[in-house]
Amino acid sequence: MTKERLSPTQEADWLRAAIARHDHLYYVQARPEISDSEYDDLFRRLRTLEAEHPELADPSSPTQRIGDALTAGFATVRHPFPLISLDNSYDEADIRAFHKRVADGLEGRSVSYICELKFDGVAVILKYVGGRFVQGATRGDGEQGDDVTLNLRTIRTLPLRVVPARTAAIDPIFYVRGEVYLNKHDFSRYNAERDAVGEKPFANPRNFAAGSLKILDPRVVAQRPLSIVCYGYDNQQPAVDDTHWRSMQRLGSLGFPVSEHVCRVDSIDAVISYWRDWQERRDELPFEIDGVVVKVDRYVDQRTLGSTARAPRWAIAYKFAARRAQTRLIEISLQVGRTGVLTPVAELDPVPLGGVTIRRATLHNFEEIQRLDVRIGDVVTLERGGDVIPKITGVELSERKPQAQPYRIPESCPSCGARLVRDEGMVGVRCPNPSDPEIVKRRIEHFASRGAMDIAGLGSETVNVLVDRGLVADLGDLYGLKPESLLELEGFAEKSAVALVAGIDRSRDRSLPRLVFGLGIRFVGEETARMLATRLGSLDRIAAATEAELTEIPEVGPRVAQAIREYFDSATSRAVLRKLHQAGVAGKSADAVAVSDHLAGKSFVLTGGLSTMTREAAEAAVIAAGGKTSSSVSKKTSYVVAGESPGSKLAKARELGVTVLSEAEFVALLSGE
């Protein structure tokens, strides 16, 4: 039967299979069989067919890689199994010690290892049902992550639908682990395009990938050249393959992009040779790696070895040493943060380091400049720890020019000219002027951030334009923006202007803890903001509290209480709060919680799902009773509350001897029983 005689359903299936095949040939194997125009013809025909026959709609269709939906934020996904991290090794002695532990655990049985390149990207987990990609999430804290399904759909190397292969059947439900990354060439090209239009370049490919997955509009993500490599298969049943090596072959047979540099070896000497080889050759690769991953091959051996609370005993990351380079310090510039603190930044003669051209490196604070005795004109040594963050580690004194002078801490703000101050006991020097345009910009960025008011589309470039053009002078002005005023700005079309105003409007209903955190009060982080909101219940009560009343709240000491009072006593802050109040932004309060101190001094870690309350309500109840919550288990943890399907935190608690409470015991403790 020829293609012309196919029914609409049959033709759609044929087109989807053909496009998927050509995507794989082009993006994974780099050996296209048809021209771009021929590919475009296939794509256009499928899109037309789906438009003419709405009943053919299929979320796994290639036409759905670029979604139209804008989301208000990312939902949280609880992982089907803990995504625990790997222990790290940096030298040969460590890796030989790992091998000895493996040999001892297997009682001397022979062992084979799989060696894989450690891609420097963002870990994700993918869920397939009936061969269709239905959900993708970031690793997050190992127990739960962000649902980034729509953004992952835009990655053309990711199969949206897989079909059985001669050597690999399809399980009804299975999970694939992978790493989203960016090729060096694509990263350089994208940064060059940003630089050409005056936009700030990304620091490194990993940050680019991570930031891209956090963008709320998948249409924007679709314009970014992201790739993915897959390295793990799990169907939540007894292993269908008896070795990791065969599991990797399964992934490749099903059309998933897997690394061509994976190898199986039978000795630790061969592992070390693999590591040495790639440490020397890593610049030959088109993507960034920061080490290799070593895994015991046989699954029965992996199960025998087991895991600790935080890492498997059968795998280890063998990292590369930090790269070094030398270059000249051209200037020391100053960045003004949202609290007014100045951060010195080294402006450098551009130098390649680990596949990235380094032009700037943070100097952290003025004490660090004095410690290094770094001077303008010096030749400095740079390192990229983990091949990510560049930092200055030393000065080549033999290259110092005779006229080089010690750096002098400025007395006035480089942005507004105000006289700088240094608070007693603090390292940082800060600008005290709340109307400083740089402080205003950084405050708005913070206010719009995900942990605060979560305003989609209000990034640094947009904030800079809004402040520089006089449309926004403080947080309160955001709620007076109209789409028509934004259309006058470069880069705004009607749709993006309407979307930004809608995002700002949605933020009016954010919770009180988010609002308090978003105000950007010095020393008030998310945990302290949550404490204030839970114990005092409203923004008006927080604003009216005395320093003595504030210090009675856990996590609020004298310094924090003083900073809170200074904020609410400021005429500038009061003007902002009036605008927010008039705009209906007061912080949505949760149900009232009775306040007591019977859990004072106790710290809680929650793991697993609770049936009688949400995680947020449980944390609020702990705080209201004088306790505190944490995301990690340590010897200082008082209780771990284990709900349904607890993760690795439960094992960590048992390992450390921390008291574990059931949900019923936790509820009883909250009520004082």
Side-chain angles (χ1 to χ4, degrees), residues 52 108 122 393 402:
E52 293 173 348
V122 181
T393 58

Side-chain angles (χ1 to χ4, degrees), residues 335 343-346 360-365 368 372 389-392:
Q335 292 181 338
T343 300
V345 176
R360 313 178 86 205
T362 180
L363 286 163
H364 302 291
N365 53 57
E368 178 71 359
L372 291 168
I389 302 172
K391 62 179 180 180
I392 293 176

Side-chain angles (χ1 to χ4, degrees), residues 390-593:
K391 62 179 180 180
I392 293 176
T393 58
V395 177
E396 189 62 51
L397 295 178
S398 63
E399 298 283 341
R400 174 168 285 169
K401 298 177 181 179
Q403 66 270 30
Q405 297 294 315
Y407 183 81
R408 295 183 61 183
I409 299 175
E411 296 181 352
S412 59
C413 175
S415 174
C416 69
R419 187 172 183 81
L420 300 174
V421 299
R422 173 178 282 181
D423 297 320
E424 185 177 351
M426 301 297 292
V427 173
V429 175
R430 66 182 179 89
C431 171
N433 175 18
S435 299
D436 181 308
E438 288 302 309
I439 294 178
V440 171
K441 291 175 183 177
R442 304 295 82 81
R443 278 186 180 275
I444 294 173
E445 276 184 42
H446 173 74
F447 185 77
S449 67
R450 190 175 170 203
M453 303 298 276
D454 195 14
I455 302 175
L458 196 54
S460 58
E461 288 91 352
T462 300
V463 170
N464 289 342
V465 171
L466 292 175
V467 175
D468 290 342
R469 293 290 296 270
L471 291 181
V472 172
D474 56 42
L475 306 177
D477 289 342
L478 291 172
Y479 295 92
L481 287 174
K482 303 295 182 186
E484 50 269 27
S485 61
L486 296 175
L487 290 175
E488 300 175 4
L489 305 178
E490 184 179 351
F492 272 98
E494 183 176 356
K495 196 168 185 178
S496 57
V498 169
L500 176 57
V501 172
I504 294 171
D505 187 59
R506 284 193 297 269
S507 73
R508 297 174 199 266
D509 293 328
R510 299 288 185 250
S511 67
L512 181 58
R514 282 176 171 266
L515 174 58
V516 174
F517 175 59
L519 293 177
I521 304 168
R522 283 204 307 152
F523 312 128
V524 175
E526 290 185 73
E527 182 68 21
T528 302
R530 191 165 47 175
M531 288 277 190
L532 290 167
T534 302
R535 302 283 285 200
L536 295 176
S538 72
L539 191 60
D540 288 341
R541 287 191 62 192
I542 297 171
T546 65
E547 286 190 35
E549 291 170 331
L550 290 168
T551 53
E552 293 177 0
I553 299 173
E555 300 294 313
V556 179
R559 186 182 68 173
V560 179
Q562 181 182 0
I564 294 170
R565 279 270 34 97
E566 286 177 354
Y567 177 86
F568 287 107
D569 289 339
S570 160
T572 302
S573 297
R574 289 199 299 270
V576 170
L577 293 171
R578 280 195 298 272
K579 290 180 182 180
L580 292 176
H581 179 75
Q582 291 167 0
V585 182
K588 188 176 180 181
S589 298
D591 294 337
V593 179

Side-chain angles (χ1 to χ4, degrees), residues 261 326 330 346 484:
H261 303 294
Q326 288 192 328
I330 305 300
E484 50 269 27

Side-chain angles (χ1 to χ4, degrees), residues 64-67 133 148-158 160 212-213 217-224 226:
Q64 300 305 303
R65 285 190 184 275
I66 304 175
F133 172 58
V148 290
T149 305
L150 294 177
N151 288 345
L152 290 172
R153 282 184 182 278
T154 69
I155 301 176
R156 292 191 174 274
T157 49
L158 175 66
L160 299 182
S212 297
L213 288 183
D217 187 347
R219 293 166 299 185
V220 176
V221 184
Q223 304 304 313
R224 299 191 169 191
L226 298 178

